[in-house]
Amino acid sequence: MGYVERASRVPGAVVWSAEPEPGGGGTVLPDGCMDLLWSAGRLLVAGPDTRAHRPDGSAPYTGVRFAPGTAAPALGVPAHVLRDRRVDLAELWPAREVGALAARIAAATDPAVALEDLAAERWAARRTDPLVGPIVSGLRAGRSVGAVADEVGLGARGLHRRSLEAFGYGPKTLARVLRFQRALALVRSGTRHADAALRTGYADQAHLARETRALAGTTLGRLAP
């Protein structure tokens, strides 16, 4: 699938477009994010993934991918409601409102800009949990869930509850997803698999291979040939 992205004016987000290619689309990997989508005249939402998702690739897509933990307030629903789901926006917002928004985007000269405008409006009207940033930063740096809970001043249950609302799953799952993405980025930049595993906190290369299979449904070699 032909894919391009750019930074968005929504903090931490990116605006992307994907065109269908012969043979179907590529695989979408868990990354801790949620997306607002426009495709075939419909507004949709892609929830946080715990496993690989393969789009049908039959239609072009435009999306705004929110940074981890920032989409739920903009959408007005807890992230766990959308875990591993793709839903019409009309399931979350009033159908009349969604219809008017879809008409606005369809009439726009550049649907990507119009979709970004919608995302920016919703983001500005909602307040992101102030602990989201520190939670993501701590887990992305490889600190333990317990250490992150202490850093943000929450107990284990409190951190789990806040994580379900913001990210769609608990902090242990978020940590797994973020670590996998760190390792994948290293391998794609040319780092050897064993070195990437060591640098990102896996027990060994076999551990990284098992996590790749669990989260991506394939091998690291296929993801980063």
Side-chain angles (χ1 to χ4, degrees):
M1 181 176 288
Y3 177 88
V4 294
E5 70 175 41
R6 62 170 174 81
S8 171
R9 67 177 182 277
V10 177
V14 298
V15 179
W16 58 270
S17 296
E19 293 291 334
E21 292 183 348
T27 300
V28 179
L29 302 176
D31 58 6
C33 300
M34 294 170 59
D35 295 64
L36 180 63
L37 306 172
W38 172 253
S39 181
R42 299 165 59 204
L43 282 163
L44 307 104
V45 175
D49 291 322
T50 61
R51 56 183 180 269
H53 171 78
R54 189 173 180 83
D56 62 20
S58 61
Y61 277 84
T62 298
V64 175
R65 179 172 299 117
F66 290 85
T70 63
L75 296 171
V77 296
H80 64 81
V81 172
L82 299 168
R83 183 172 54 235
D84 291 319
R85 298 179 64 202
R86 271 71 180 156
V87 303
D88 280 286
L89 188 60
E91 292 187 28
L92 310 178
W93 298 357
R96 181 174 296 181
E97 178 184 359
V98 174
L101 292 170
R104 183 176 109 185
I105 294 172
T109 303
D110 187 339
V113 172
L115 187 69
E116 183 183 21
D117 288 342
L118 170 58
E121 290 163 9
R122 296 292 301 195
W123 185 88
R126 297 290 189 274
R127 185 170 181 268
T128 300
D129 185 338
L131 296 185
V132 158
I135 291 170
V136 172
S137 295
L139 295 176
R140 187 170 273 152
R143 291 195 283 279
S144 69
V145 170
V148 171
D150 289 342
E151 289 170 5
V152 300
L154 292 174
R157 289 184 179 179
L159 178 60
H160 189 80
R161 183 176 63 252
R162 298 282 270 271
S163 296
L164 285 178
E165 296 245 342
F167 308 111
Y169 29 61
K172 289 184 178 180
T173 299
L174 178 62
R176 287 179 63 205
V177 167
L178 295 177
R179 180 170 62 172
F180 165 67
Q181 285 289 341
R182 293 199 313 275
L184 179 60
L186 285 173
V187 171
R188 283 176 168 169
S189 71
T191 304
R192 294 173 59 248
H193 292 193
D195 292 336
L198 180 63
R199 289 171 59 180
T200 51
Y202 290 96
D204 50 28
Q205 184 176 337
H207 184 196
L208 171 56
R210 290 193 299 273
E211 281 290 89
T212 301
R213 179 67 72 177
L215 292 170
T218 188
T219 65
L220 200 55
R222 288 185 177 273
L223 293 175

